[in-house]
Amino acid sequence: LAWNNLNGYLSNSGIDYLFSRETSGESIYNDIGIDDRKTLHAFDSHIKKLSSEKKTFAGVLHLNTNHFPFFVPGSSKKWDGNEVKDMYDNSVFHFDVLMESMFKSLSESGALDNTIILITSDHGESLLEHNYLGHIESYYLEAVSIPMMIYLPKSLQNESQVEKLYANTQKNVMNLDIIPTFTDLLLGANNN
């Protein structure tokens, strides 16, 4: 949180719950983050608390699994190789396991039926394409192209908005589009 005064920003932003390496007391596991399984455990506990209190929420769940050096638990190792692509593929598989855990928490709490979920990233990753590993000094497609997936529960679906979302699957979009998209989805749901 000390990076670029992020702790100062977050402490003044009105966030009512923050789970991070610094606030959790957990040790570093991968790059600069803690074990994402512990993050998902804290997420599950917090979602259950919010559900029992009948509170709505907006949140960000930032996972570190796909950051170099791609540490994953043995249970998420599907590929035995030590090549960087094998390590990254294992981290993607582990991310899928973590997403399954997140969806299960939301479903068991009853929140999934009323929660929009966006899965995206801040950058891609070069895995030795163009003889480069990482993302800092690369502007090739593998470093700048990122996934963006939206889960929109039936309770919040508006037919015209769903059509627009599908139309955008054939276009380039950007992270700048996230907040206006969420705003449109929520306003459209309130007009149903």
Side-chain angles (χ1 to χ4, degrees):
L1 291 179
W3 176 78
N4 207 21
N5 194 31
L6 191 56
N7 56 349
Y9 170 75
L10 292 174
S11 65
N12 292 310
S13 64
I15 293 174
D16 58 1
Y17 179 74
L18 175 65
F19 180 84
S20 67
R21 184 180 63 85
E22 292 85 351
T23 62
S24 71
E26 299 288 345
S27 59
I28 287 181
Y29 178 75
N30 177 0
D31 191 19
I32 60 170
I34 63 174
D35 186 335
D36 286 336
R37 293 172 295 176
K38 293 182 179 181
T39 303
L40 263 294
H41 179 73
F43 174 83
D44 181 59
S45 296
H46 193 66
I47 291 299
K48 286 178 180 170
K49 178 181 180 283
L50 292 172
S51 179
S52 71
E53 296 171 353
K54 307 273 190 245
K55 289 186 177 177
T56 60
F57 66 94
V60 174
L61 180 61
H62 180 259
L63 301 177
N64 214 28
T65 293
N66 303 114
H67 274 223
F68 187 81
F70 315 123
F71 290 136
V72 298
S75 60
S76 285
K77 290 190 177 177
K78 290 188 66 128
W79 294 271
D80 292 329
N82 288 326
E83 298 293 321
V84 70
K85 288 184 180 186
D86 296 325
M87 295 165 62
Y88 185 77
D89 287 346
N90 283 328
S91 78
V92 171
F93 176 73
H94 184 56
F95 180 81
D96 288 347
V97 170
L98 295 168
M99 289 297 91
E100 183 179 8
S101 174
M102 180 199 68
F103 273 90
K104 182 179 177 188
S105 292
L106 290 167
S107 180
E108 289 176 352
S109 72
L112 187 60
D113 296 337
N114 219 6
T115 300
I116 300 171
I117 300 170
L118 176 104
I119 300 171
T120 191
S121 180
D122 53 342
H123 57 77
E125 195 75 13
S126 295
L127 301 174
L128 299 175
E129 300 91 350
H130 304 99
N131 297 317
Y132 183 74
L133 176 63
H135 56 272
I136 305 285
E137 298 172 2
S138 174
Y139 297 101
Y140 286 106
L141 190 58
E142 62 270 10
V144 299
S145 180
I146 60 171
M148 187 178 287
M149 298 171 275
I150 296 176
Y151 168 80
L152 186 61
K154 290 198 183 297
S155 66
L156 299 178
Q157 289 183 12
N158 171 301
E159 189 174 329
S160 68
Q161 290 174 316
V162 171
E163 287 175 13
K164 289 176 190 174
L165 287 173
Y166 276 117
N168 282 327
T169 63
Q170 304 303 315
K171 298 177 184 176
N172 287 328
V173 296
M174 63 179 96
N175 287 347
L176 187 61
D177 297 325
I178 292 172
I179 298 300
T181 300
F182 270 97
T183 302
D184 287 348
L185 292 171
L186 291 171
L187 289 174
N190 289 330
N191 291 330
N192 281 343

